[in-house]
Amino acid sequence: MSNSALISIVDDDQAFRESLHQLVMLLGYTVESFASAADFLGSNLLSETACLVADVQMPGMTGVELHRRLVAAGRAIPTILVTAYPDEAIMDEARRNGVVCFLSKPVDADYLDRCLRSALQRSMPSEDNS
């Protein structure tokens, strides 16, 4: 499968970020990775990003805060949050704010694939839905 949709990954853990980057590429997507929310926000890829995969707990700005900031700025990029420390309250708040999926580390490849497909369906223009 080849998909030109850009998946942007934001995670401060370099080893996990590189591993996830490789996995998403193997699933057939175009991928860019960032070490922080600030790096992602400062990039020229915001408008090209079809789906954001962000770590919940990062220094500076959490994945939840990043998603909230994007929505407030009118850039509701379909978002998947990933965490090593699942928290029901954070998960519930994230879902209420429109997060597509909430994944626990280590990430299950099949579940990630389903989440990416769901996120990309949300970002498709209505004329492309068949």
Side-chain angles (χ1 to χ4, degrees):
M1 177 183 110
S2 179
N3 189 331
S4 62
L6 176 62
I7 310 301
S8 290
I9 296 170
V10 180
D11 197 306
D12 62 308
D13 179 329
Q14 181 179 354
F16 180 79
R17 184 176 63 248
E18 290 173 358
S19 173
L20 188 59
H21 183 113
Q22 189 67 23
L23 174 58
V24 174
M25 278 182 47
L26 288 171
L27 291 172
Y29 297 96
T30 302
V31 187
E32 288 292 334
S33 297
F34 303 89
S36 70
D39 289 348
F40 174 67
L41 291 170
S43 78
N44 61 351
L45 297 175
L46 281 173
S47 62
E48 296 176 41
T49 298
C51 178
L52 173 65
V53 180
D55 188 16
V56 170
Q57 296 181 334
M58 297 183 289
M61 183 185 302
T62 70
V64 173
E65 292 166 339
L66 173 58
H67 175 71
R68 196 177 306 132
R69 182 169 175 174
L70 289 168
V71 170
R75 296 184 180 265
I77 299 169
T79 301
I80 297 169
L81 294 178
V82 183
T83 186
Y85 309 99
D87 178 297
E88 286 297 322
I90 292 172
M91 290 170 59
D92 290 344
E93 175 190 352
R95 286 190 183 107
R96 279 193 306 275
N97 290 321
V99 169
V100 177
C101 287
F102 204 96
L103 304 174
S104 295
K105 295 179 182 178
V107 171
D108 175 89
D110 291 332
Y111 187 52
L112 172 63
D113 190 31
R114 288 193 304 271
C115 287
L116 288 169
R117 290 172 190 267
S118 177
L120 293 173
Q121 285 177 348
R122 290 181 185 204
S123 69
M124 291 171 53
S126 59
E127 66 210 28
D128 287 349
N129 290 338
S130 37

